[in-house]
């Protein structure tokens, strides 16, 4: 259930960023550019959850919450909380590229009660132009 919920949440957030190609109304998978502002996602209600933070991160050196520094393209860092049941409090992150999005979304994670976000794989996938 939580994995399905996170996929739905990610899909809704990506759609709400209103990605489009600068030259077309119909979206192709190349040269997609976001037209929405990252910060407008704050407070967005999701099925059994919400977006608690959304910040535009400029390209360059970025120190992630794990303390490591990554060289990244500009992106929108979204933090949310999913609560599919009364005793759930599942934190998640979604990194959306600010430009040159491939049209792909990769979900990373771990099972059980691990409770960790691994920023290295997020950074690697974002560098390839993917939402992750």
């Amino acid at each position: 259930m939580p994995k399905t919920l996170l996929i739905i949440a990610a899909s809704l957030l990506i759609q709400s960023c209103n990605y489009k190609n600068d030259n077309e109304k119909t979206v192709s998978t190349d040269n997609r550019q976001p037209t929405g502002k990252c910060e407008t996602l704050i407070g967005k209600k999701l099925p059994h959850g919400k977006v608690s933070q959304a910040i535009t991160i400029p390209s360059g050196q970025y120190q992630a919450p794990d303390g490591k520094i990554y060289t990244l393209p500009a992106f929108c860092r979204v933090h949310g909380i999913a609560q599919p049941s009364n005793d759930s409090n599942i934190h998640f992150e979604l990194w959306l590229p600010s430009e040159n999005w491939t049209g792909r979304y990769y979900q990373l994670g771990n099972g059980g009660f691990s409770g960790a976000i691994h920023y290295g794989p997020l950074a690697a996938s974002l560098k390839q132009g993917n939402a992750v």
Side-chain angles (χ1 to χ4, degrees):
M1 169 80 170
K3 184 176 181 179
T4 303
L5 177 66
L6 292 177
I7 292 171
I8 292 168
S11 297
L12 290 171
L13 288 172
I14 290 170
Q15 289 173 12
S16 70
C17 284
N18 196 19
Y19 280 88
K20 72 173 185 72
N21 183 296
D22 284 338
N23 301 318
E24 303 173 0
K25 289 186 180 178
T26 305
V27 178
S28 65
T29 57
D30 57 330
N31 299 320
R32 291 183 182 203
Q33 302 297 322
T35 59
K37 294 192 184 225
C38 178
E39 288 73 14
T40 63
L41 297 173
I42 297 170
K44 182 161 183 69
K45 300 266 186 203
L46 305 170
H48 306 287
K50 67 177 181 176
V51 173
S52 57
Q53 184 180 39
I55 338 174
T56 301
I57 306 294
S59 62
Q61 300 287 311
Y62 172 66
Q63 184 171 3
D66 63 2
K68 296 179 182 170
I69 296 175
Y70 302 95
T71 301
L72 299 171
F75 69 101
C76 175
R77 179 179 175 222
V78 178
H79 177 264
I81 302 170
Q83 297 174 312
S85 65
N86 291 338
D87 61 346
S88 295
N89 196 32
I90 304 165
H91 292 252
F92 67 90
E93 288 215 15
L94 180 64
W95 290 9
L96 304 169
S98 295
E99 57 188 24
N100 300 321
W101 180 43
T102 63
R104 295 182 178 143
Y105 164 69
Y106 285 97
Q107 182 164 328
L108 305 169
N110 40 15
F113 294 97
S114 176
I117 295 175
H118 301 285
Y119 294 95
L122 286 175
S125 192
L126 182 72
K127 282 183 183 181
Q128 296 172 356
N130 303 310
V132 62

